[in-house]
Amino acid sequence: MDERKIIIAIDGPAGSGKSTTARCVAQHFKYVYIDTGAMYRAITFAALRFNLYPDNHEKINELLETTSISLKRNETGEQRTFVNEEDVTPHIRSKEVSENVSYFSSVSRIREAMVEIQRKLGQKGGIVMDGRDIGTVVFPNADLKIFLVASLEQRAKRRIAELPAQSIVMSFDEVVENIRQRDLLDSSRDHSPLMKASDAIEIDTSYLTIEEQTEKIIVLAENIIRRKSL
Ligand code: CDP
């Protein structure tokens, strides 16, 4: 493993700018970007297709045994999410998945399965991984841990702006309610809740542009890479 290829963990609540920022930081360093939320969304999509409930542990176990979740890049470098061989990318941001994902992602077996995949993907370093528990559980020894926050209003505004491109119709109030509900469920679950790691650096992105927040993280990462190269 090349010691200079570090692991950057970016955690934070819905709409705090994790995905876009993480993708830009990864591009800068020519690292691999891993969107762990897409994995939880994909398993939720698969569970909903079979009308499963999060508390039906037997059926959830069966689903996990017969389902592989993977992330692949297409020719343009864009991340696509697969359930077995099916590209489910167009479906995982739907209103139905958004409304159910936090229930499924609180199931211990689901978390264990996803974390196992995430650790394998990141073990060689040279990655930027975003999610809720990357700095606390997936990579507690990550070289750089960032915790992004922003006001609920700003986060909802950002999310609403993304929806037309994804052909999703949701009102502003529905988006606010979905974010509020997910924040609550994600932060209060027993298994690896959304939480700032004690050694994470918090950045409030409410009034920052993507370029500004990306730049802040790049500077922090460059300092760490420089120290590792000495
Ligand atoms: O993009 P957005 O912030 O809306 O959410 P996401 O990153 O796509 O994550 C969707 C949901 O997956 C979250 O609300 C969490 O319930 C769950 N999740 C998780 O539990 N752990 C992670 N590492 C990533 C996502």
Side-chain angles (χ1 to χ4, degrees), residues 14-15 18 36-37 40-41 93 101-102 105 111 131-134 159 182 186 189:
K18 297 181 303 294
T36 63
Y40 288 95
R41 287 173 176 275
R93 312 233 155 243
V101 62
S102 291
S105 59
R111 300 208 70 78
R132 304 291 188 286
D133 58 342
I134 312 306
R159 189 44 46 93
R182 281 200 288 134
D186 293 345
R189 68 181 173 224

Side-chain angles (χ1 to χ4, degrees), residues 76-103:
T76 58
E78 184 199 346
Q79 182 187 275
R80 309 293 293 183
T81 309
F82 286 75
V83 169
N84 295 327
E85 294 311 307
E86 181 188 355
D87 183 352
V88 297
T89 315
H91 312 299
I92 60 172
R93 312 233 155 243
S94 70
K95 182 167 178 250
E96 199 190 5
V97 171
S98 293
E99 283 175 352
N100 286 281
V101 62
S102 291
Y103 295 101

